[in-house]
């Protein structure tokens, strides 16, 4: 049975239209078209598959969220592939594997009722792993060299966008603090008056109100850990929002969905301070649970450089590798224990 109210074609078109404004300005027409068409195609295919699914019975919100996640990662990883320098004839096979991975992981995660943050983290982990595996496969087949593989592996458009948004948000907040009186009565679009009275500037209201909606679905101890890193006033505002039973009705759902990715700019960045010593320690911690033969079994299908990196780290040395790539390897090992 089709999902009531789910216009997957229109939704995919809307996501693609929004993405056009975010495509890097230095891309040529072929590159811009590739990003936009890839996003549109995968979002449409995913939306139709969810709409036609008669087993998992997703609701409208779940179907829209899964479709949007596929669209967003299709955007980011197609940008990464273009930036990587990998020849275009290899782009489609890589993107197809990534899209299939997202679809299957997202479907199962949401069907099992995992909290939103766990769903997003799980998807991100598997997207990055699939991307690296595909690049490694090209290297193993001698279709690209070691230098190009490492260049491709270091690409992360989502991190670049988050850093840019964080800088922009900080600049906007400074400007708003100087320009907006504390007793301003203006109410921003998409948010009702009670929400506006609790905070001030529109951008901050939208982000913190959306964050409160997300936190309502998380374990409270994890919420508190995150809030401890916030400005005390912002943390208190989020707590007040979480106590509003009708918050979901006061925040426009479309605006909330667009804010989901921006929320990461307010959360601790897991990629910060990835020093060699910390990465080595992550690998060595795994050795407390797995002996050398077990590690070799875990790594049997990995590329030779990945194996060298792990066993070199166990000896206390850091084999030169982009920190983000090294962190993905270390995290993957931790998750397998």
């Amino acid at each position: 049975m089709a999902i009531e109210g789910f216009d997957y074609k229109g939704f995919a078109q809307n996501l693609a239209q929004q993405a056009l404004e975010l495509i890097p300005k230095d891309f040529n027409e072929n590159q811009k078209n590739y990003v936009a068409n890839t996003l549109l195609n995968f979002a449409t295919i995913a939306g139709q598959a969810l709409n036609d699914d008669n087993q998992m019975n997703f609701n409208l919100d779940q179907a829209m969220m899964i479709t949007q996640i596929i669209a967003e990662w299709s955007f980011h990883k197609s940008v990464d592939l273009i930036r990587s320098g990998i020849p275009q004839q290899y782009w489609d096979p890589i993107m197809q594997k990534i899209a299939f991975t997202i679809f299957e992981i997202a479907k199962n995660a949401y069907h099992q009722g995992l909290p939103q943050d766990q769903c997003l983290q799980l998807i991100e982990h598997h997207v990055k792993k699939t991307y690296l595996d595909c690049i490694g496969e090209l290297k193993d087949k001698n279709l690209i060299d070691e230098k190009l593989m490492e260049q491709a592996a270091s690409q992360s458009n989502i991190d670049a966008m988050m850093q840019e948004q964080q800088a922009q948000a900080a600049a906007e907040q400074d400007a708003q603090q100087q320009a907006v009186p504390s007793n301003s009565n203006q109410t921003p679009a998409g948010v009702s008056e009670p929400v506006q009275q609790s905070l001030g500037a529109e951008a901050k209201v939208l982000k913190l109100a959306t964050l409160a909606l997300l936190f309502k679905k998380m374990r409270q101890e994890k919420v508190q850990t995150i809030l401890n890193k916030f400005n005390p006033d912002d943390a208190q505002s989020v707590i007040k929002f979480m106590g509003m039973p009708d918050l979901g009705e006061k925040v426009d759902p479309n605006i909330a969905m667009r804010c989901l990715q921006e929320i990461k700019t307010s959360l601790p960045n897991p990629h910060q301070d990835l020093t060699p010593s910390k990465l080595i320690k992550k690998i060595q911690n795994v050795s407390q649970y797995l002996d050398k033969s077990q590690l070799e079994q875990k790594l049997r299908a990995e590329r030779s450089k990945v194996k060298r990196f792990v066993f070199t780290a166990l000896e206390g040395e850091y084999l030169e590798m982009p920190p983000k790539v090294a962190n993905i390897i270390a995290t993957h090992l931790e998750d397998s224990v």
Side-chain angles (χ1 to χ4, degrees):
M1 179 182 294
I3 300 172
E4 184 177 355
F6 186 35
D7 176 14
Y8 65 87
K9 291 182 180 179
F11 187 53
Q13 288 281 358
N14 184 46
L15 292 172
Q17 189 63 36
Q18 293 179 41
L20 289 175
E21 301 175 4
L22 301 175
I23 296 176
K25 304 299 183 185
D26 61 319
F27 278 14
N28 60 38
E29 285 305 309
N30 173 59
Q31 293 167 335
K32 290 178 181 178
N33 289 335
Y34 183 81
V35 174
N37 291 335
T38 298
L39 184 158
L40 177 61
N41 290 339
F42 287 139
T44 302
I45 292 170
Q48 182 176 7
L50 292 167
N51 194 56
D52 295 343
D53 190 293
N54 293 321
Q55 296 181 338
M56 294 190 172
N57 297 319
F58 291 110
N59 60 36
L60 177 59
D61 289 340
Q62 291 171 325
M64 292 181 69
M65 180 58 67
I66 294 172
T67 303
Q68 179 165 345
I69 290 170
I70 288 177
E72 290 177 348
W73 276 113
S74 295
F75 174 87
H76 290 303
K77 299 319 289 182
S78 59
V79 170
D80 287 345
L81 279 174
I82 293 171
R83 294 275 194 218
S84 72
I86 289 177
Q88 186 167 353
Q89 65 260 38
Y90 305 126
W91 296 353
D92 280 349
I94 293 176
M95 289 305 306
Q96 287 165 7
K97 289 181 180 179
I98 290 173
F100 178 79
T101 297
I102 299 170
F103 188 67
E104 291 302 313
I105 296 296
K107 274 204 315 178
N108 291 327
Y110 280 93
H111 183 63
Q112 293 171 19
L114 295 182
Q116 178 82 2
D117 68 316
Q118 290 185 24
C119 290
L120 295 176
Q121 290 172 8
L122 187 65
I123 292 166
E124 181 172 3
H125 167 74
H126 282 280
V127 167
K128 292 181 176 180
K129 181 181 184 303
T130 302
Y131 177 73
L132 292 177
D133 287 347
C134 289
I135 295 169
E137 186 177 344
L138 292 178
K139 169 61 174 59
D140 292 341
K141 293 179 178 178
N142 294 319
L143 298 174
I144 61 174
D145 59 23
E146 186 89 12
K147 182 178 180 181
L148 186 53
M149 181 187 72
E150 293 184 2
Q151 177 178 311
S154 68
Q155 299 299 318
S156 182
N157 184 65
I158 190 170
D159 288 339
M161 286 187 66
M162 290 304 165
Q163 292 171 4
E164 182 180 339
Q165 290 172 356
Q166 188 171 13
Q168 183 178 352
E172 288 177 353
Q173 184 174 341
D174 290 342
Q176 289 163 347
Q177 288 174 346
Q178 296 175 13
V180 179
S182 60
N183 62 348
S184 173
N185 293 321
Q186 293 181 342
T187 302
V191 160
S192 67
E193 187 173 352
V195 174
Q196 169 62 16
Q197 289 173 347
S198 299
L199 289 171
E202 177 178 357
K204 182 179 282 190
V205 172
L206 296 175
K207 289 177 183 176
L208 295 184
T210 304
L211 186 59
L213 287 171
L214 186 63
F215 280 1
K216 282 188 172 187
K217 300 180 180 181
M218 293 171 57
R219 296 190 304 274
Q220 290 308 302
E221 62 270 20
K222 188 166 186 177
V223 171
Q224 191 56 55
T225 299
I226 297 173
L227 288 178
N228 288 340
K229 299 179 182 295
F230 276 46
N231 174 287
D233 291 337
D234 291 347
Q236 189 60 39
S237 296
V238 172
I239 292 171
K240 287 180 180 179
F241 286 162
M242 291 176 67
M244 296 173 61
D246 57 347
L247 179 62
E249 300 174 5
K250 296 178 181 295
V251 180
D252 186 300
N254 293 322
I255 293 177
M257 290 181 70
R258 290 199 300 270
C259 285
L260 280 175
Q261 286 297 330
E262 294 181 14
I263 284 173
K264 287 189 176 182
T265 63
S266 300
L267 298 176
N269 186 344
H271 297 305
Q272 286 181 341
D273 199 23
L274 293 177
T275 62
S277 60
K278 290 187 176 181
L279 291 166
I280 289 172
K281 187 175 181 180
K282 287 184 71 172
I283 298 291
Q284 291 178 334
N285 286 340
V286 175
S287 67
Q288 298 176 19
Y289 307 96
L290 300 174
D291 59 29
K292 185 174 180 180
S293 62
Q294 290 173 315
L295 272 174
E296 288 175 342
Q297 181 68 13
K298 290 279 185 185
L299 298 169
R300 67 186 185 282
E302 297 292 347
R303 303 185 302 277
S304 59
K305 186 165 185 179
V306 171
K307 297 176 183 176
R308 293 204 314 273
F309 170 78
V310 172
F311 289 109
T312 300
L314 291 176
E315 300 296 326
E317 299 292 333
Y318 186 79
L319 181 67
E320 192 59 37
M321 181 176 288
K324 290 179 183 177
V325 178
N327 187 52
I328 291 173
I329 295 171
T331 302
H332 176 56
L333 270 182
E334 287 178 332
D335 291 344
S336 68
V337 174

